[in-house]
């Protein structure tokens, strides 16, 4: 008898005889499920995709998720809700600032109903999480809501959300527990309280438009969420320890991106600056900052401070140490090698944000599929050199492959080609011509090494480059591929032409 087969409505259970309640408690804590081929701990993008793929490959599969909703950080408090707010705020900002130029009047007088914007976001998230549950049922994946810990390499003990425990016996376990925002010791989050010092989670929950916002950290998450509120009228100041924002991305592209944020959204940047103190109240924050190299201090006061200094793997309280799974200095689970998800403990594997590599949902998904394909005796594959990254601002910024800085550091002789969207007919026609496309290729072979795009639809355009790189294409291959006219993708063709020869339209 499996404990998940016993279902009581809480009110009926409370009214049931004490002996029955004890029997239910006993069944939950003592009865073990039949052995599974694979158990996935974590129902985020890596975990739920791995679970579905495993079931499709004929494995008896169970997924344990402590949040009580599938989709992980990405779907519940990350990628998906932020894109809802980015979309709503962009349309509002466009109506205010661009409609008049197209002959559409009245946009200047529009107002934003923040509660309505948040409702649309929540409905989108709810629908998608339920959709994953439907996919689990369709593919016959068992789903347990609770916190899973290892008792031994083949036994998972789950503290159920509804109370009690469930024991899962499994031949293999995939750890896909994801990551969480880094909290600075002197800046505790109050995401579910005053919301004056927030993580990315709290920034998605704001109930009114703040007049001022400080963002600690000039990375992707901070700039995306800062854009949401800046479009609605918030004055945003970004404080970054390094001398540039988005430090791992292509310098030429990011310089253009920073200029765009200053021009279009009035962002202020304090680079090479560190936060050394914070006074957090229920009405706002006052940050004490100083130059990263040391120097005179100053204070920055704002209604809300968003701390976006990175994320850390969620690897605590899983019983890893007891079964011999090792962690590195960053508390990530150590695996045999990139693309090999074996932890060194027989039957235990790990994927996604809790292991080394970029903390991206699509990277976790690829690893989940690869891991279960390998378990099924197939040949799993993840090409870590062709994992796109996207900043979903407006314009968007997207990259795949090596940056120009990385190519130089590697000592590779290269050529580069760029093409501005200002020279693209479709971009000019629709009034969205800010940005450029950039190709970097080997000087001797013309093989594409990296592609970087800033445009209104860079997040969609980057996949042409990713596909080309996956198959080892050259810039000439892309340039000689017919692109429909008029499209913004023609700028990608022209940038490839600029790299191996000369563009036509610039």
């Amino acid at each position: 008898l499996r404990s998940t087969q016993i279902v009581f409505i809480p009110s009926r259970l409370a009214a049931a005889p004490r002996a029955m309640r004890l029997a239910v408690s006993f069944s939950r804590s003592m009865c073990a499920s039949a052995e599974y081929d694979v158990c996935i701990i974590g129902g985020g993008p890596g975990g739920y995709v791995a679970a579905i793929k495993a079931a499709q490959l004929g494995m008896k599969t169970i997924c344990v998720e402590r949040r009580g909703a599938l989709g992980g950080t990405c779907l519940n408090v990350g990628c998906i809700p932020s894109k809802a707010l980015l979309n709503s705020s962009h349309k509002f900002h466009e109506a205010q600032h661009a409609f008049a130029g197209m002959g559409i009047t009245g946009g200047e007088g529009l107002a934003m109903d923040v509660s309505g914007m948040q409702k649309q976001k929540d409905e989108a998230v709810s629908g998608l999480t339920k959709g994953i549950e439907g996919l689990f049922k369709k593919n016959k994946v068992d789903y347990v809501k609770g916190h899973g810990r290892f008792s031994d390499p083949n036994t998972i003990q789950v503290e159920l959300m509804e109370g009690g425990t469930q024991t899962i016996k499994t031949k293999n376990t995939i750890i896909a527990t994801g990551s969480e925002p880094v909290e600075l010791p002197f800046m505790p989050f109050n995401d579910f309280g005053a919301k004056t010092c927030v993580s990315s989670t709290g920034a998605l929950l704001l109930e009114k438009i703040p007049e001022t916002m400080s963002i600690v950290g000039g990375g992707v998450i901070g700039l995306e969420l800062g854009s949401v509120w800046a479009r609605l009228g918030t004055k945003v100041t970004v404080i970054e320890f390094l001398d540039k924002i988005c430090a791992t991305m292509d310098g030429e592209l990011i310089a253009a991106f920073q200029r765009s944020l200053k021009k279009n959204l009035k962002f202020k940047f304090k680079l090479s600056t560190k936060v050394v103190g914070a006074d957090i109240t229920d009405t706002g924050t006052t940050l004490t900052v100083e130059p990263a190299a040391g120097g005179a201090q100053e204070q920055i006061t704002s209604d809300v401070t968003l701390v976006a200094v990175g994320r850390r793997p969620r690897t605590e309280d899983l019983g890893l140490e007891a079964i011999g799974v090792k962690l590195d200095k960053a508390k990530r689970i150590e695996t045999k090698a990139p693309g090999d998800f074996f932890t060194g403990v027989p039957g235990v594997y790990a994927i996604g944000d809790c292991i080394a590599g970029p903390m991206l949902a699509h990277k976790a998904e690829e690893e989940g599929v690869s891991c279960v394909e390998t378990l099924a005796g197939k040949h799993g594959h993840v090409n870590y050199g062709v994992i796109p990254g996207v900043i979903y601002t407006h314009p968007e910024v997207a990259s795949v492959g090596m940056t120009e800085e990385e190519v130089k550091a590697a000592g590779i002789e290269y050529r580069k080609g760029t093409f501005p969207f200002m020279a693209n007919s479709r971009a000019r026609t629709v009034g969205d011509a800010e940005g450029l496309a950039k190709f970097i290729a080997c000087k001797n072979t013309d093989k594409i090494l990296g592609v970087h795009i800033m445009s209104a639809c860079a997040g969609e355009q980057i996949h042409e480059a990713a596909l080309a790189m996956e198959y080892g294409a050259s810039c000439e291959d892309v340039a000689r591929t017919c692109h429909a006219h008029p499209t913004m993708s023609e700028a990608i063709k022209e940038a490839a032409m600029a790299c191996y020869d000369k563009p036509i339209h610039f």
Side-chain angles (χ1 to χ4, degrees):
L1 179 66
R2 288 177 51 196
S3 59
T4 50
Q5 292 176 315
I6 300 175
V7 180
F8 283 88
I9 300 172
S11 60
R12 290 178 61 190
L13 180 58
R18 181 172 182 273
M20 182 180 292
R21 297 201 304 272
L22 288 173
V24 172
S25 176
F26 177 81
S27 72
R28 286 174 176 165
S29 62
M30 299 300 291
C31 291
S33 299
E35 185 175 56
Y36 286 87
D37 294 312
V38 61
C39 172
I40 291 96
I41 303 179
Y48 86 73
V49 168
I52 291 171
K53 188 63 179 180
Q56 290 174 344
L57 291 173
M59 301 183 199
K60 183 175 174 60
T61 306
I62 188 168
C63 181
V64 179
E65 169 54 55
R66 73 174 190 173
R67 190 187 298 272
L70 294 167
T73 293
C74 175
L75 181 45
N76 290 278
V77 291
C79 320
I80 298 301
S82 65
K83 302 313 165 281
L85 298 187
L86 281 161
N87 180 59
S88 296
S89 61
H90 170 62
K91 289 182 175 179
F92 177 78
H93 187 264
E94 187 176 37
Q96 283 193 319
H97 299 278
F99 274 17
M102 294 181 280
I104 305 171
T105 60
E108 304 85 351
L110 294 175
M112 172 57 78
D113 175 6
V114 176
S115 63
M117 180 177 71
Q118 293 285 15
K119 181 182 177 183
Q120 188 274 332
K121 174 205 73 177
D122 293 341
E123 288 175 348
V125 169
S126 177
L128 288 167
T129 56
K130 291 175 182 176
I132 299 172
E133 288 193 28
L135 290 172
F136 270 19
K137 292 178 181 177
K138 175 183 177 182
N139 290 281
K140 297 180 174 58
V141 175
D142 288 344
Y143 171 35
V144 176
K145 297 180 181 181
H147 181 81
R149 296 181 189 85
F150 284 93
S151 297
D152 62 54
N154 300 106
T155 307
I156 310 298
Q157 197 74 9
V158 183
E159 287 185 22
L160 299 171
M161 288 186 67
E162 62 181 15
T165 61
Q166 178 176 334
T167 300
I168 298 171
K169 288 289 186 179
T170 179
K171 297 174 184 175
N172 301 286
T173 301
I174 299 174
I175 305 166
T177 47
S179 62
E180 60 191 2
V182 171
E183 186 175 40
L184 298 176
F186 57 94
M187 298 186 70
F189 299 140
N190 54 18
D191 291 344
F192 302 101
K195 298 183 180 67
T196 54
C197 182
V198 298
S199 69
S200 54
T201 299
L204 294 168
L205 299 174
L206 299 181
E207 297 159 353
K208 61 181 180 180
I209 302 168
E211 289 188 15
T212 54
M213 174 181 283
S214 296
I215 300 175
V216 182
V220 174
I221 294 173
L223 298 177
E224 284 188 1
L225 292 173
S227 293
V228 169
W229 300 105
R231 292 168 184 167
L232 304 182
T234 302
K235 297 177 182 177
V236 173
T237 300
V238 177
I239 304 161
E240 170 55 51
F241 182 82
L242 300 177
D243 60 358
K244 70 173 186 176
I245 61 174
C246 302
T248 61
M249 299 188 77
D250 187 85
E252 182 178 8
L253 211 72
I254 290 304
F257 178 47
Q258 185 175 340
R259 290 193 297 269
S260 172
L261 291 173
K262 286 181 178 179
K263 174 186 173 184
N264 297 329
L265 298 180
K266 312 303 180 187
F267 268 50
K268 293 182 179 179
F269 292 92
K270 297 189 73 66
L271 305 180
S272 300
T273 302
K274 61 182 176 182
V275 179
V276 296
D279 180 24
I280 302 167
T281 71
D282 287 347
T283 57
T285 60
T286 299
L287 304 181
T288 301
V289 303
E290 65 181 41
Q297 295 184 345
E298 65 173 302
Q299 293 186 322
I300 300 174
T301 299
S302 57
D303 297 326
V304 175
T305 291
L306 164 59
V307 180
V309 294
R311 298 181 64 83
R312 62 186 176 199
R314 188 180 284 126
T315 53
E316 297 177 351
D317 197 23
L318 297 173
L320 300 181
E321 191 174 312
I323 65 168
V325 172
K326 296 180 180 179
L327 305 180
D328 64 15
K329 292 181 179 179
K331 302 297 183 183
R332 298 173 300 193
I333 295 172
E334 292 186 354
T335 56
K336 187 175 180 180
D340 186 333
F341 312 106
F342 181 50
T343 65
V345 176
V348 181
Y349 304 83
I351 62 170
D353 287 7
C354 66
I355 66 173
M359 290 184 172
L360 296 169
H362 44 285
K363 176 257 196 185
E365 291 181 5
E366 294 299 310
E367 290 180 334
V369 171
S370 177
C371 185
V372 296
E373 284 181 335
T374 302
L375 288 177
K378 299 178 180 294
H379 298 284
H381 165 78
V382 180
N383 185 349
Y384 289 97
V386 188
I387 295 179
V390 183
I391 307 175
Y392 296 91
T393 48
H394 191 91
E396 295 178 342
V397 179
S399 295
V400 65
M402 301 175 76
T403 66
E404 187 171 357
E405 290 79 8
E406 289 171 336
V407 172
K408 286 181 179 178
I412 301 171
E413 292 188 342
Y414 70 96
R415 292 195 304 262
K416 73 172 182 178
T418 62
F419 188 83
F421 279 87
M422 187 60 72
N424 174 264
S425 59
R426 179 69 180 275
R428 290 284 294 271
T429 300
V430 300
D432 229 338
E434 187 175 16
L436 73 154
K438 175 179 179 176
F439 273 70
I440 302 167
C442 175
K443 183 178 180 180
N444 297 320
T445 66
D446 194 37
K447 182 178 180 179
I448 302 168
L449 302 176
V451 179
H452 311 278
I453 308 168
M454 184 175 91
S455 77
C457 51
E460 303 296 335
Q461 292 175 313
I462 198 65
H463 300 104
E464 175 181 356
L467 183 62
M469 290 179 66
E470 183 66 38
Y471 284 89
S474 66
C475 288
E476 186 175 359
D477 289 330
V478 174
R480 291 191 180 278
T481 300
C482 184
H483 288 58
H485 173 80
T487 62
M488 294 181 76
S489 289
E490 288 178 286
I492 311 306
K493 174 187 172 81
E494 294 266 11
M497 292 176 69
C499 193
Y500 94 93
D501 188 15
K502 293 181 180 180
I504 297 296
H505 293 96
F506 184 69

